[in-house]
Amino acid sequence: MRSKVTVVGAGFVGSTLGQRVAERDYADVVLMDVVPDMPQGKALDILEAGPVLGYDSLVIGTNGYDETANSDIVVVTSGIARKPGMSRDDLIRTNQGIVTQVVQEVAKHSPNAILICVTNPLDAMVQLAYKVSGFPKQRVLGMAGVLDTARFRTFIAQELNVSVRDVQAFVLGGHGDTMVPLARLSTVAGVPLPELIPAERLQQIVERTANGGAEIVNLLKQGSAYYAPSASVLQMIDSILLDKKMIMPCSVYLEGEYGINGLFVGVPAKLGAKGVEEVIQLKLTEDERAALQKSADAVRELIGVMGI
Ligand code: APR
């Protein structure tokens, strides 16, 4: 039987992800959204590309949850973006309402699914999804680190004029200003980054990475990034559905790892058929540990706003 991937929120990230999953040809796709007819239209459009591109994935659009039943993976992208004049706390509370309602339905209809959250503020929304779903920690995670790392790798490859494939990089911490790009453990064809890029220039690249989302928002004028975010979720889905056991930075529930307890924060994790199969513990320097702790504190503050 084919696997089933549901994407809740058929907006820019959700529909692009639906397209990417369909093109992989290993799973059927359900696009769910509250806007009448829109997910049905997008799903049909993606389905009709199948004969041209040669995939047989079934793609369905819906405004309800019946069609999502028994999904193997559910990706939550539903939410609103911050609008001018809206405070960060307003945004959290609005998306809290949306994610709560969505995850309740998802848990009811797909009790064995692995949940991947994308809605921002990311780490806080994953924590909420974990609580509302009641799922074990292995089956709830958030996409941020793969995207942040992809941005970091892009800028490093540009700087050194090398293939992105030769650049390995790690970004830890929460998704936001407090993320921790780990230059020390990043390499180009095995050579540590600090040996290749002067410290001052490297710092500029690290800062550009941390502001990577805002850079796109400023260029688009409305909306936020979706090509790289959807590609990043796809890599996580690949590793889970194909049981590849790839190690990638994800927002996962920590219980003592890195000295952090009871909180979702971005760290390297092994993803396989069971979801989060292992949290990889890197040896951090004092500075890195402090930066990660600061990032965790920022996540904790957002959780305080939600009152969960
Ligand atoms: N149930 C289902 N879908 C919903 C609900 C709900 N309760 N509420 C909102 N949606 C849908 C909207 O109708 C919209 O189609 O979620 C979709 C969000 O899509 P976009 O506004 O296009 O946002 P997008 O760019 O895809 O980003 C989604 O990912 O990167 C993050 O910060 C970003 O939180 C945002 C999310």
Side-chain angles (χ1 to χ4, degrees):
M1 216 173 77
R2 297 169 71 87
S3 300
K4 183 169 175 179
V5 175
T6 285
V7 185
V8 182
F12 282 98
V13 176
S15 58
T16 312
L17 175 63
Q19 176 193 4
R20 293 194 192 282
V21 174
E23 287 176 0
R24 299 287 283 141
D25 204 13
Y26 57 41
D28 293 333
V29 179
V30 180
L31 291 179
M32 191 276 165
D33 202 289
V34 284
V35 178
D37 295 338
M38 181 271 274
Q40 291 86 341
K42 289 188 176 181
L44 186 58
D45 198 7
I46 295 170
L47 187 71
E48 289 169 353
V52 183
L53 295 177
Y55 56 78
D56 291 297
S57 312
L58 190 62
V59 189
I60 297 170
T62 177
N63 302 119
Y65 284 88
D66 288 348
E67 293 83 349
T68 73
N70 299 318
S71 295
D72 298 285
I73 294 186
V74 178
V75 182
V76 179
T77 77
S78 50
I80 60 157
R82 190 156 151 186
K83 301 198 176 82
M86 193 178 201
S87 77
R88 189 201 56 173
D89 289 3
D90 289 342
L91 173 76
I92 294 183
R93 277 188 279 266
T94 304
N95 282 350
Q96 179 178 9
I98 293 171
V99 169
T100 300
Q101 182 255 329
V102 165
V103 172
Q104 280 168 347
E105 293 293 333
V106 166
K108 207 185 311 167
H109 288 83
S110 299
N112 299 314
I114 292 170
L115 261 181
I116 303 178
C117 286
V118 180
T119 305
N120 275 321
L122 194 269
D123 304 277
M125 290 301 139
V126 199
Q127 187 102 19
L128 176 67
Y130 173 63
K131 183 156 189 258
V132 171
S133 66
F135 285 2
K137 64 177 181 178
Q138 288 79 8
R139 289 202 280 119
V140 184
L141 67 165
M143 188 291 292
V146 179
L147 172 61
D148 297 331
T149 306
R151 287 179 173 148
F152 197 30
R153 290 172 62 194
T154 303
F155 303 148
I156 293 166
Q158 273 183 343
E159 180 72 13
L160 296 173
N161 195 23
V162 296
S163 166
V164 290
R165 285 173 182 263
D166 287 328
V167 183
Q168 287 287 332
F170 258 119
V171 176
L172 302 184
H175 188 48
D177 315 336
T178 58
M179 74 176 72
V180 188
L182 281 187
R184 185 177 62 87
L185 297 178
S186 301
T187 57
V188 177
V191 180
L193 208 49
E195 290 179 24
L196 298 168
I197 301 178
E200 202 175 304
R201 179 70 188 132
L202 196 49
Q203 186 52 33
Q204 287 171 350
I205 295 174
V206 163
E207 274 163 29
R208 187 176 178 195
T209 302
N211 295 316
E215 183 177 0
I216 304 275
V217 168
N218 289 338
L219 289 168
L220 294 180
K221 309 289 188 272
Q222 49 183 334
S224 49
Y226 55 98
Y227 291 114
S230 56
S232 302
V233 181
L234 183 73
Q235 191 174 57
M236 295 166 71
I237 295 175
D238 269 356
S239 193
I240 294 169
L241 288 186
L242 303 176
D243 197 20
K244 286 167 85 78
K245 307 202 189 291
M246 291 170 73
I247 295 171
M248 54 186 98
C250 310
S251 183
V252 299
Y253 192 66
L254 299 183
E255 289 181 300
E257 299 95 337
Y258 294 95
I260 297 168
N261 209 5
L263 205 63
F264 277 83
V265 180
V267 296
K270 190 201 281 178
L271 302 191
K274 297 190 181 74
V276 179
E277 298 192 348
E278 190 183 340
V279 172
I280 310 298
Q281 300 219 47
L282 304 172
K283 275 204 185 89
L284 299 183
T285 64
E286 270 312 303
D287 285 355
E288 289 162 354
R289 187 172 274 273
L292 186 61
Q293 194 56 52
K294 196 170 148 213
S295 194
D297 291 344
V299 177
R300 215 180 278 283
E301 199 188 311
L302 295 185
I303 287 164
V305 173
M306 293 196 294
I308 61 165

